[in-house]
Amino acid sequence: MEKILKKNPEIVWKNIRGESVLLNAVTGKYYGLNKVECSFWEKIDGTRSLAQIAELMLEEFNVDRETLEGDLEALTKKLIENNLVLMEG
């Protein structure tokens, strides 16, 4: 079974003109996401795996699968390391 991505409930976020600003309410740290990262963030709903989100994003962006999957894996790792996203399952 694939691991499911879930936003940390302590994170406050706002989409501003296609980009997102995230605030970890516990640490007080801010994080910025560009357009592609913002799209990824918005698709994290607690029911989808990384692979499922990648499939949705392949329809949205003109990029090859290998590049997208590599970028999303790196982004997911960064989000987990900063306690912005949790992986369950």
Side-chain angles (χ1 to χ4, degrees):
M1 182 173 179
E2 291 191 69
K3 304 246 185 231
I4 301 299
L5 298 176
K6 181 179 175 183
K7 292 177 181 128
N8 180 336
E10 297 169 341
I11 303 304
V12 178
W13 66 283
K14 180 144 180 90
N15 185 326
I16 303 169
R17 287 184 233 113
E19 297 186 358
S20 288
V21 177
L22 285 61
L23 167 66
N24 185 323
V26 175
T27 66
K29 288 187 178 180
Y30 282 92
Y31 302 88
L33 301 179
N34 65 31
K35 181 181 177 182
V36 175
E37 294 168 338
C38 178
S39 174
F40 177 72
W41 175 259
E42 290 176 343
K43 290 171 179 54
I44 297 172
D45 64 0
T47 67
R48 295 183 181 124
S49 68
L50 181 58
Q52 290 169 320
I53 293 172
E55 283 298 320
L56 293 172
M57 292 184 71
L58 281 170
E59 297 171 10
E60 186 177 350
F61 296 97
N62 184 20
V63 63
D64 66 272
R65 178 181 300 273
E66 188 175 313
T67 300
L68 179 67
E69 288 177 349
D71 290 350
L72 292 183
E73 285 177 20
L75 176 59
T76 300
K77 183 178 179 193
K78 181 176 91 172
L79 293 174
I80 290 171
E81 287 172 354
N82 288 295
N83 202 29
L84 301 172
V85 169
L86 312 170
M87 195 171 277
E88 299 180 340

